[in-house]
Amino acid sequence: MKIMKPALTPALQRFLKYAGVGFGTFCFDLLLLALFVEVLHFTVYIATPLCFAIAASINYVLSRLHVFRGTERSWHAGYGYFLLAAGSGALLSTSGVALLVLIFHLHYLVARILVAGFVGMLTYLINLRFNFRVMGTHS
């Protein structure tokens, strides 16, 4: 009896690569956040967007090299648009973390994890469609 493996479409393969890159840089973001808050004594409201920006920059390089290879956008322009999307993500992340910490009294790391999925999906769609303009193409 032959076992059938489910076929991964190119679009799903790209998304899974993005999710892998995103998960790795998100873990790095959380480590930085804990370091900045617990060791360096930054406030959560300063540390969250700062760590997000550092991790987003690393995410850009890895995504550019491994996820959105078919783009014709230059590295500098792509990074600018990526930072714009990441900046929006940082505002959403910071606002979401602040809301969950101040209103619902969640630990800042739990709050950051809860907000991450929403922000990650939104920035993926923005980058796929508007920044790298590779929606529907696969390389």
Side-chain angles (χ1 to χ4, degrees), residues 10-99:
L12 182 57
Q13 288 175 6
R14 175 181 280 148
F15 176 76
L16 291 174
K17 284 180 189 176
Y18 184 83
V21 168
F23 181 74
T25 54
F26 176 65
C27 289
F28 181 69
D29 181 351
L30 289 179
L31 273 169
L32 277 181
L33 184 59
L35 173 72
F36 279 44
V37 171
E38 302 296 334
V39 176
L40 301 175
H41 306 291
F42 281 59
T43 67
V44 171
Y45 313 109
I46 299 297
T48 299
L50 181 59
C51 295
F52 186 91
I54 293 167
S57 294
I58 295 167
N59 187 313
Y60 172 73
V61 171
L62 295 174
S63 291
R64 174 79 187 219
L65 293 173
H66 301 291
V67 181
F68 301 112
R69 287 186 295 214
T71 186
E72 294 181 12
R73 191 176 299 278
S74 72
W75 274 82
H76 291 93
Y79 186 59
Y81 285 113
F82 195 88
L83 287 181
L84 188 60
S88 300
L91 288 174
L92 284 172
S93 293
T94 304
S95 301
V97 168
L99 176 76

